[in-house]
Amino acid sequence: MKSNYLLLSALLLSMSSYAQQITVNFEEYEPKSTLVVPEHITTKAKFPFIDVHNHQWNLHEEKENLDKLITEMNALNMKLMVNLSGRGWTSDETKSTQTLSKQIEQIKQYYPSRFAVFTNIDFANINTKGWTEKAVKTLEDDVKLRGAKGLKIYKNLGFSVKDGDKLVRVDDPRLDPIWKKAGELGIPVLIHTADPERFWQPVDRFNERWLELKLHPDRKRNAGEKSNDFTWEQLIEQQHNVFKKNPKTNFIAAHMGWYPNNLPKLDSLMDEMPNMYVEIGAVIAELGRQPHTAKRFFEKRQDRILFGKDSWVPSEYATYFRVLETNDEYFPYHKKYHAFWRMYGLGLSDGILKKVYYKNALKLIPGLDKSQFPE
């Protein structure tokens, strides 16, 4: 009896010790799939493409910066990059105008067909007299005199732009002439409003963005009775109010308007707002986990979807190409804290790929060189 007890104790102790050795947390857990299926690692796009959502901060500096960028773009088959950060990130108007002008001059001199630059709006002094008129004039000059091809609105509108101690709404009436002027100039407005909806939810075991919020707690949003911040729903509604009030202006909703995980809803919104276009920057993980639904959406909305990436990490484009072009199954995303699930390819037709990769951008953004793209 005693020997059986000792044997059982030793067994339990051994099992406990083994369990302690194999303990891993969620951040560490990276299982290697044993699934054997066809793989098509795609590091270069099937067709030349335009990235409508990129941020470059040194195009106005040495030519070597442009040379390096062109080499990296060529490796991806990216024929044209849209730099949305034309005025840099400064409230010094003189400096930002110089940045925009020099960027466009450098591009014209060295690589005139490979880049397009969007301008930006500085909301810092929105509460001063004459601000709206000045902002409209600057936008017009940026397009007509300096050569900007569009307007990019950052997410600080709705998040941090204030009039006194009060947040400025995305649909603030003082901005109406800006949206109207963009339509008159024939340029698109690429606007980023809000962030993923889960950023406003409790950081608990039910939140799909738990790991991202754990690693980047500054991305957590708080709205409610004790906060002056807008809710996610309020921000999205404000953006849509702008679209509806300005039917003659084309708007590109960044990150699929934060509805990539609810494509039926996005589809209904695009019915409601014919001037609403979307780009896929930073949301390919959402599309890759719903290949059937996403493919149907692309087939229906093929004329109003544009390719975008956002952050400039050339190696990450492979995930986009693979999701859009192949029928591959169960392959990893490149950034676990965005997506701990696996991707599936949509296998889009050549006709749809061409529209997403370049035709829709050529239609929407004025003055691009079409000669470097096939029919």
Side-chain angles (χ1 to χ4, degrees):
M1 186 74 177
K2 184 176 181 181
S3 61
N4 289 341
Y5 174 77
L6 292 174
L7 181 63
L8 179 60
S9 298
L11 179 61
L12 291 173
L13 182 63
S14 174
M15 291 174 62
S16 174
S17 175
Y18 179 68
Q20 290 175 5
Q21 291 176 25
I22 65 170
T23 297
V24 294
N25 59 36
F26 182 63
E27 295 95 313
E28 297 170 329
Y29 185 54
E30 290 282 359
K32 292 185 177 181
S33 174
T34 59
L35 185 67
V36 179
V37 290
E39 293 184 322
H40 303 87
I41 308 302
T42 311
T43 59
K44 188 172 185 176
K46 185 175 185 179
F47 299 106
F49 71 98
I50 298 172
D51 185 346
V52 304
H53 191 151
N54 213 287
H55 298 281
Q56 298 292 330
W57 308 99
N58 59 359
L59 296 188
H60 60 293
E61 296 174 358
E62 293 80 7
K63 179 179 178 290
E64 286 73 17
N65 295 324
L66 283 172
D67 294 339
K68 180 177 182 294
L69 199 53
I70 287 293
T71 299
E72 294 171 329
M73 290 165 59
N74 288 342
L76 300 170
N77 204 16
M78 184 192 298
K79 288 296 182 182
L80 197 148
M81 173 190 286
V82 177
N83 182 27
L84 299 178
S85 307
R87 284 187 162 268
W89 195 252
T90 175
S91 289
D92 185 326
E93 184 179 357
T94 300
K95 186 175 180 180
S96 67
T97 299
Q98 289 174 347
T99 297
L100 177 69
S101 298
K102 194 167 182 183
Q103 272 194 59
I104 295 173
E105 289 169 8
Q106 288 263 88
I107 290 166
K108 283 182 178 179
Q109 182 177 357
Y110 299 114
Y111 297 104
S113 65
R114 303 298 300 274
F115 297 95
V117 181
F118 278 28
T119 187
N120 315 109
I121 299 290
D122 180 12
F123 300 102
N125 300 308
I126 191 171
N127 59 347
T128 60
K129 185 178 180 180
W131 179 88
T132 298
E133 293 76 14
K134 184 178 180 181
V136 169
K137 182 65 167 60
T138 299
L139 174 61
E140 187 169 24
D141 288 348
D142 284 351
V143 174
K144 289 185 175 181
L145 303 181
R146 301 181 184 105
K149 302 297 185 184
L151 173 63
K152 155 68 172 172
I153 302 297
Y154 295 109
K155 66 181 179 180
N156 64 330
L157 180 62
F159 273 169
S160 60
V161 175
K162 290 187 175 183
D163 183 349
D165 60 353
K166 188 176 181 181
L167 281 173
V168 174
R169 294 172 57 94
V170 179
D171 57 358
D172 189 294
R174 288 171 289 188
L175 306 180
D176 288 346
I178 295 174
W179 316 132
K180 182 180 178 182
K181 177 56 68 174
E184 292 172 355
L185 292 168
I187 61 167
V189 178
L190 195 152
I191 179 169
H192 178 170
T193 302
D195 269 334
E197 184 181 8
R198 294 291 97 185
F199 285 7
W200 278 259
Q201 302 302 318
V203 185
D204 57 22
R205 62 194 177 99
F206 301 109
N207 194 324
E208 279 190 326
R209 295 278 182 159
W210 175 85
L211 181 57
E212 181 173 0
L213 292 170
K214 180 178 184 294
L215 297 174
H216 302 277
D218 57 306
R219 298 181 184 179
K220 177 71 173 72
R221 299 294 174 182
N222 298 295
E225 295 179 2
K226 296 182 179 180
S227 170
N228 292 320
D229 293 344
F230 296 118
T231 64
W232 184 85
E233 292 80 6
Q234 287 172 330
L235 287 168
I236 298 300
E237 181 183 18
Q238 290 168 24
Q239 184 194 76
H240 295 168
N241 288 341
V242 172
F243 296 174
K244 293 172 186 176
K245 284 198 297 182
N246 298 274
K248 294 183 179 180
T249 301
N250 290 321
F251 293 90
I252 305 170
H255 314 297
M256 298 190 86
W258 296 124
Y259 278 109
N261 59 333
N262 189 350
L263 295 178
K265 175 65 175 179
L266 180 57
D267 182 58
S268 68
L269 290 170
M270 295 178 81
D271 269 337
E272 189 178 351
M273 296 172 283
N275 60 332
M276 177 186 185
Y277 294 74
V278 297
E279 59 87 21
I280 62 173
V283 295
I284 198 70
E286 296 289 355
L287 302 175
R289 66 170 170 168
Q290 50 174 332
H292 304 300
T293 298
K295 185 172 185 176
R296 287 193 296 270
F297 179 84
F298 272 74
E299 289 171 344
K300 182 176 181 180
R301 298 299 181 185
Q302 59 187 273
D303 295 316
R304 291 162 66 186
I305 305 171
L306 293 86
F307 185 96
K309 168 68 172 63
D310 198 354
S311 61
W312 179 241
V313 184
S315 63
E316 294 178 353
Y317 282 79
T319 305
Y320 286 73
F321 305 151
R322 198 173 180 188
V323 169
L324 296 176
E325 298 180 18
T326 79
N327 289 301
D328 283 3
E329 300 175 280
Y330 201 75
F331 54 90
Y333 184 64
H334 52 257
K335 194 175 292 182
K336 181 181 176 181
Y337 71 75
H338 274 171
F340 52 85
W341 52 81
R342 296 283 172 146
M343 305 287 100
Y344 297 82
L346 310 188
L348 297 176
S349 69
D350 287 357
I352 294 176
L353 282 173
K354 288 177 180 179
K355 288 182 179 181
V356 173
Y357 275 157
Y358 63 89
K359 285 188 175 182
N360 293 338
L362 292 176
K363 176 181 66 178
L364 209 57
I365 304 171
L368 303 184
D369 181 5
K370 298 180 181 181
S371 66
Q372 55 192 331
F373 300 95
E375 290 295 326

